[in-house]
Amino acid sequence: MAAKTAGDAPALTPGQLQSVRGALTSPRRLRNEVFGGLVVGLALIPEAIAFSVIAGVDPRIGLFAAFTMAVTISFVGGRPAMISAATGAVALVIAPLMKSHGLDFLVAAVILAGIFQIILGLSGVAKLMRFIPRSVMVGFVNALAILVFLAQLPELIGVPWLVYPLTAAALLIVFALPRLTSAVPAPLVAIVVLTLVTVVAGVDVPTVGDKGALPDSLPLLFLPNVPVSLETLQVIFPFSLAMAFVGLLESLMTAKLVDDITDTRTSKTREAWGQGVANIVTGFFGGMGGCAMIGQTMINVKASGARTRISTFLAGVFLLVLVVALGGVVSLIPMAALVAIMIFVCIATFDWHSIRPATLKALPKSETLVMAATVAVTVATHNLAIGVGVGVLTAMVLFARRVAHFVTVDRAITEDDGGRRATYRVDGELFFASSNDLYTQFEYALDPERVVIDMRDSHLWDASTVAALDAITEKYRQHGKSVEIVGLNEASVQMRARLAGKLGAGQ
């Protein structure tokens, strides 16, 4: 029988919590979805404007991209409640193209990037996520929290002194209100309260309206005016490919994080090609493209408790309604309120357990190094793709180095009717890192004429190992001694039969 929660209501499974139909029939859950979408829509406005500035485009381009990305991904994406919109990572990739060739080429690059993402998604690139170690994932999360926090600092430097007490008040609301009631999301309360205070008191502090002009019309279809030629493809190809990879990496990593938070498993393959569809749609509406947003997703999932596609859809709809129909009201929202919400998200997102002395003491030093490398490179470059790439590469090198030392070679001299012989027993996994030292583990000059290499406790994983065995047998042949390799499992026998003698025996 299902467990009961407070009020004698049956507990819902994670899958049921993601059901759109279930949310529509539950006033409490629907309220979370609506309020979550509203808060995210408000938070997206200054972010989209800021990313537009980074990309070198009109703020309306970023705002329309946020709208089209969020609405489209709510239907085609694989991760319910995750927010996709214009992002800083994508803005950094496409900014040079915008500067050198203009908006039409930028939009063409966004559409091509979407096509690349669909191809990558359908080809199973999402499955590569399982090769990202946990330490890289922790570093990714911590680096994102740090980057989001650093992005708020310009809003707290060189501003009127009243910004600081307003920010502190908003932080007090978002941290304390959930302890009293969860009827209304604390971030929304903070926005409303601070806006009322600043308007009624006539306080002059930075507002959303100071970030740039808000659009006063709906987005229209946009066909990029670029020549359909090989030259155009050569210009946009590198930018599109980079955008496709950066967008997929950030989206899939964020999706995995939400999976862990909500204890659900979703289709990463669908999310991958869904991001491509969303970018194509965004491009044809003149948007700058984008991907999943960690900050807004955490507002939606953690701060607001949203779990379905409804909140993602409403985030886009609310954003458009707010900037087009209620732009005058939205422009009055003090940036201090949004900064406080993002700081709250940073604190909630950062994995504090990962840096506790007890945790660091218990973890292998290599795991800590991988996490630190991921954080350091991501923060230094402001590029999640580079940071994660360095983290994975560091993990691979350290793993190969550690595994290489697990191979042991034991030598024994025995005598039978055939005379004396040397028997070597190899124990461990043999691949490029461990097999390179294998050649040095044998006493070529001191061994008798008969040598047996027992491989029953090892496995050949690559051509480097086969080449090492060829080098060993050739070295013994030069000393006039015979070598017999025994105990290979079936897969190793097949690999050696296919490659032996074809790779060169020189060392």
Side-chain angles (χ1 to χ4, degrees):
M1 182 173 293
K4 301 290 183 180
T5 59
D8 201 37
L12 298 177
T13 66
Q16 291 172 325
L17 286 173
Q18 294 183 111
S19 168
V20 171
R21 179 179 297 178
L24 291 174
T25 57
S26 169
R28 180 181 61 83
R29 292 173 57 200
L30 183 58
R31 181 192 64 217
N32 288 345
E33 300 296 319
V34 174
F35 284 152
L38 178 57
V39 174
V40 170
L42 288 167
L44 278 173
I45 295 171
E47 293 276 318
I49 295 173
F51 297 147
S52 299
V53 173
I54 293 174
V57 300
D58 188 282
R60 287 172 292 186
I61 302 298
L63 289 167
F64 287 156
F67 161 68
T68 52
M69 285 292 297
V71 170
T72 305
I73 206 67
S74 69
F75 289 98
V76 300
R79 173 62 262 179
M82 191 167 78
I83 306 298
S84 291
T87 62
V90 170
L92 288 170
V93 171
I94 61 177
L97 178 62
M98 177 63 192
K99 185 176 181 180
S100 61
H101 288 80
L103 181 62
D104 288 285
F105 276 82
L106 182 149
V107 171
V110 170
I111 295 171
L112 182 59
I115 295 172
F116 284 155
Q117 288 178 326
I118 292 176
I119 295 172
L120 291 169
L122 295 177
S123 63
V125 70
K127 295 177 182 178
L128 297 176
M129 285 294 296
R130 64 177 181 267
F131 293 106
I132 298 180
R134 178 188 176 278
S135 52
V136 174
M137 187 66 192
V138 173
F140 164 80
V141 170
N142 291 346
L144 278 174
I146 295 171
L147 286 177
V148 172
F149 176 78
L150 292 177
Q152 310 313 309
L153 293 183
E155 305 297 336
L156 298 173
I157 299 175
V159 294
W161 70 269
L162 283 173
V163 169
Y164 303 112
L166 287 172
T167 303
L171 283 171
L172 180 63
I173 292 173
V174 295
F175 277 105
L177 186 61
R179 299 177 182 272
L180 303 176
T181 178
S182 59
V184 182
L188 180 59
V189 174
I191 291 172
V192 173
V193 170
L194 263 67
T195 303
L196 289 175
V197 168
T198 54
V199 171
V200 172
V203 176
D204 185 17
V205 292
T207 64
V208 170
D210 297 330
K211 288 295 181 181
L214 300 179
D216 55 6
S217 62
L218 298 176
L220 301 174
L221 283 175
F222 181 92
L223 295 178
N225 184 22
V226 297
V228 181
S229 63
L230 181 60
E231 288 74 16
T232 299
L233 181 61
Q234 289 174 336
V235 170
I236 67 174
F237 181 88
F239 295 98
S240 297
L241 191 62
M243 177 182 168
F245 276 109
V246 169
L248 281 184
L249 180 61
E250 187 163 352
S251 298
L252 294 176
M253 294 284 279
T254 304
K256 187 176 187 301
L257 176 61
V258 178
D259 284 356
D260 294 340
I261 292 172
T262 60
D263 194 26
T264 56
R265 294 294 174 266
T266 50
S267 174
K268 302 300 186 299
T269 296
R270 178 175 173 179
E271 183 61 41
W273 64 256
Q275 289 288 331
V277 172
N279 273 304
I280 291 175
V281 171
T282 297
F284 280 118
F285 278 95
M288 57 181 278
C291 60
M293 301 187 75
I294 182 68
Q296 279 65 28
T297 297
M298 290 301 100
I299 291 175
N300 197 41
V301 174
K302 273 196 168 184
S304 303
R307 290 293 182 270
T308 76
R309 300 175 185 274
I310 297 175
S311 58
T312 305
F313 173 78
L314 290 179
V317 172
F318 280 137
L319 179 145
L320 188 64
V321 171
L322 288 168
V323 298
V324 174
L326 300 173
V329 176
V330 171
S331 63
L332 298 176
I333 297 174
M335 286 302 299
L338 299 177
V339 168
I341 293 171
M342 297 310 295
I343 292 175
F344 166 75
V345 168
C346 297
I347 295 172
T349 302
F350 195 91
D351 188 350
W352 298 99
H353 181 269
S354 66
I355 61 172
R356 291 177 181 171
T359 304
L360 295 175
K361 184 177 180 181
L363 279 176
K365 288 183 174 57
S366 59
E367 299 280 322
T368 302
L369 179 59
V370 169
M371 180 183 69
T374 304
V375 172
V377 174
T378 301
V379 172
T381 63
H382 284 231
N383 190 312
L384 296 169
I386 295 177
V388 172
V390 169
V392 172
L393 182 61
T394 303
M396 291 170 56
V397 171
L398 292 176
F399 174 77
R401 183 174 179 272
R402 186 167 66 249
V403 173
H405 295 296
F406 289 162
V407 175
T408 59
V409 178
D410 296 320
R411 175 177 181 262
I413 302 296
T414 59
E415 193 164 347
D416 54 23
D417 294 340
R420 296 176 71 246
R421 71 174 182 183
T423 300
Y424 289 88
R425 186 161 184 169
V426 182
D427 185 353
E429 304 300 309
L430 296 171
F431 63 110
F432 63 90
S434 58
S435 61
N436 285 337
D437 291 333
L438 189 64
Y439 178 82
T440 64
Q441 304 297 311
F442 296 84
E443 301 288 350
Y444 300 101
L446 301 178
D447 283 338
E449 294 185 357
R450 293 175 58 207
V451 177
V452 175
I453 303 177
D454 188 347
M455 309 284 288
R456 72 183 69 182
D457 295 321
S458 61
H459 184 94
L460 310 187
W461 285 105
D462 59 10
S464 296
T465 306
V466 177
L469 291 178
D470 285 351
I472 291 168
T473 55
E474 173 62 18
K475 187 72 171 180
Y476 274 116
R477 187 191 64 79
Q478 293 173 2
H479 282 78
K481 301 170 183 179
S482 63
V483 179
E484 181 183 6
I485 298 176
V486 300
L488 287 172
N489 57 39
E490 184 177 351
S492 298
V493 168
Q494 292 177 357
M495 176 175 286
R496 186 162 186 260
R498 187 171 64 252
L499 298 176
K502 301 176 182 178
L503 300 172
Q507 287 291 314

